[in-house]
Amino acid sequence: MREIEFWYEFASTYSYPAAMRIAKKAADAGVAVRWRPFLLGPIFGAQGWNDSPFNIYPAKGKNMWRDLERICAAENIPLKQPPYRFPQNGLKAARIALAGESTGWTPDFTRAVYAANFAGQKDIADDAVLGGILRGLDLDPAAVVAAANAPENKERLKAQTEEAIARGVYGAPSFTVGDELFWGNDRLEHALSWAKTGGIA
Amino acid sequence: MREIEFWYEFASTYSYPAAMRIAKKAADAGVAVRWRPFLLGPIFGAQGWNDSPFNIYPAKGKNMWRDLERICAAENIPLKQPPYRFPQNGLKAARIALAGESTGWTPDFTRAVYAANFAGQKDIADDAVLGGILRGLDLDPAAVVAAANAPENKERLKAQTEEAIARGVYGAPSFTVGDELFWGNDRLEHALSWAKTGGIA
């Protein structure tokens, strides 16, 4: 089966509709998805940004929230701007998402964290919030968090972020099909088409 | 008739497919287009950039050219990366485009300049290139250039750029429908839908 890799960061706004849309879109296209959480912080830091570009450039940030409102309304995806500081810290959630890959609950966990962040107005760096999400998936928070915080899992997340950089990723969400890189929620359809046909039209 | 305003800068890569697509897409949607050339330089300068973000951030720039290749191939729009320095200087072309608004040749001139820049590998700041484009439209280059360089037309372009900033524009292409702002070639369909129905889906 053809595959796309879905690179996402839990703080990233446009990764939210991508995470909510990708499973059905990919199934409809007959394309498999590999869910690849990574961290934008090191990438933005290397570009000289110590904050989200949506905060650094206010006109861009203002329009991003309005654009996201329009997109989520059209897709029937609930959206409530986080009352906490934006962007939130997605490190713990990314470690947990990665720890779930081998047992298959990464997509469900990912969607639940995005919903908590961008619809539930929850702090996704809060252990209680993450524990609640894990319990909602019938997982044992203590066991999962221990696996997430194991040194080899922490190293794996670092390696995943380094792989993203090596493959040209500079923002989230991104999609890769082999060497072909697509950036942005609005490129999901292009990536799926590329995986299927080697073209976007 | 419903209207969208199309804000473009001649140096802007994604403004190229937007300029080539907008007339037919808008006609199909029953929406009028007001062509509004402006300058990105003052906007980028205010953000602390003295160059295109596609040069400042090389990973982003590399993927932009690849993404543009894919998009232009899908739309049957020829694309050859300018051999000159990128971005080119679009000041003269913007003044001319604005001078043509009252007599109606702005869209044809705009498309010809984008084609010269992104397919013809021409220097669009070269008077001979601009003169050739004007002659191709059966216009008198000397008369047009005189009108373009008249103080009131130069001031009008400044005012147009200031209006863009006041209305939230931070990049090109942008589209406005009243107070609603859409950024990017990939939002053209959203803007047209908004003009027609007040929604994007």
Side-chain angles (χ1 to χ4, degrees):
Chain A
M1 193 177 188
R2 311 280 172 94
E3 184 186 78
I4 71 172
E5 294 169 272
F6 169 35
W7 300 87
Y8 59 95
E9 145 76 56
F10 281 107
S12 153
T13 50
Y14 286 109
S15 296
Y16 170 47
M20 298 324 228
R21 298 191 313 122
I22 195 168
K24 180 173 187 317
K25 288 266 178 188
D28 289 349
V31 172
V33 179
R34 184 169 175 203
W35 294 62
R36 307 209 67 179
F38 74 108
L39 299 179
L40 271 179
I43 295 177
F44 284 180
Q47 296 184 167
W49 298 339
N50 61 358
D51 195 355
S52 164
F54 296 127
N55 291 335
I56 297 172
Y57 307 111
K60 191 182 179 80
K62 185 183 171 197
N63 188 245
M64 177 276 293
W65 286 111
R66 180 63 184 138
D67 187 55
L68 195 64
E69 271 179 2
R70 291 186 300 238
I71 289 168
C72 287
E75 300 278 350
N76 288 312
I77 297 169
L79 175 69
K80 281 187 191 167
Q81 198 168 329
Y84 299 95
R85 183 187 174 283
F86 169 80
Q88 293 209 41
N89 186 331
L91 174 61
K92 289 178 188 172
R95 285 178 179 158
I96 293 173
L98 198 58
E101 195 178 9
S102 58
T103 41
W105 47 261
T106 298
D108 284 335
F109 173 77
T110 296
R111 282 184 288 262
V113 173
Y114 277 115
N117 186 351
F118 293 109
Q121 302 194 308
K122 298 283 200 292
D123 178 353
I124 63 164
D126 180 339
D127 292 333
V129 169
L130 293 167
I133 289 171
L134 290 167
R135 275 190 299 277
L137 301 173
D138 289 325
L139 295 163
D140 172 16
V144 168
V145 169
N149 289 336
E152 61 272 21
N153 193 64
K154 290 182 178 178
E155 283 306 312
R156 219 181 131 213
L157 182 61
K158 278 188 201 164
Q160 184 124 307
T161 299
E162 278 156 23
E163 183 186 337
I165 295 169
R167 293 179 66 184
V169 169
Y170 53 93
S174 291
F175 311 96
T176 49
V177 181
D179 288 341
E180 208 71 27
L181 170 67
F182 301 83
W183 171 53
N185 171 61
D186 43 29
R187 296 297 188 276
L188 170 57
E189 285 77 3
H190 289 188
L192 289 171
S193 174
W194 197 275
K196 228 179 144 177
T197 69
I200 65 166
Chain B
M1 195 179 187
R2 311 280 172 93
E3 184 186 78
I4 71 170
E5 292 168 274
F6 169 34
W7 300 86
Y8 59 96
E9 144 76 56
F10 281 107
S12 153
T13 51
Y14 286 109
S15 296
Y16 170 47
M20 298 325 228
R21 298 192 311 122
I22 194 169
K24 179 170 188 316
K25 287 268 177 185
D28 289 350
V31 171
V33 179
R34 184 170 174 203
W35 294 63
R36 307 208 67 180
F38 75 107
L39 299 178
L40 270 179
I43 296 177
F44 284 180
Q47 295 183 169
W49 298 339
N50 60 358
D51 195 354
S52 164
F54 295 128
N55 291 335
I56 298 172
Y57 307 110
K60 190 182 179 79
K62 186 182 169 197
N63 187 245
M64 177 277 291
W65 286 111
R66 179 63 185 137
D67 187 55
L68 194 65
E69 271 179 2
R70 292 185 301 237
I71 289 169
C72 287
E75 300 278 351
N76 288 311
I77 298 169
L79 176 69
K80 280 186 191 169
Q81 197 168 329
Y84 301 94
R85 180 185 177 284
F86 168 81
Q88 293 209 41
N89 185 331
L91 173 62
K92 290 178 189 173
R95 284 179 178 157
I96 294 173
L98 198 57
E101 195 179 7
S102 57
T103 42
W105 47 260
T106 298
D108 284 335
F109 173 76
T110 297
R111 282 184 287 260
V113 172
Y114 277 115
N117 186 351
F118 293 110
Q121 302 193 310
K122 298 280 198 295
D123 178 353
I124 62 163
D126 181 339
D127 292 333
V129 169
L130 293 168
I133 288 171
L134 290 168
R135 275 189 301 276
L137 301 173
D138 288 325
L139 295 164
D140 172 17
V144 168
V145 169
N149 289 334
E152 61 271 23
N153 193 63
K154 290 183 176 178
E155 282 307 312
R156 219 181 130 215
L157 182 60
K158 279 187 201 165
Q160 184 124 307
T161 299
E162 278 157 24
E163 183 186 338
I165 296 169
R167 293 177 66 182
V169 170
Y170 54 94
S174 290
F175 311 97
T176 49
V177 181
D179 288 341
E180 208 72 26
L181 169 67
F182 301 83
W183 171 54
N185 171 60
D186 44 28
R187 296 297 189 275
L188 169 58
E189 285 77 3
H190 288 187
L192 289 171
S193 173
W194 196 275
K196 227 178 142 177
T197 69
I200 64 165

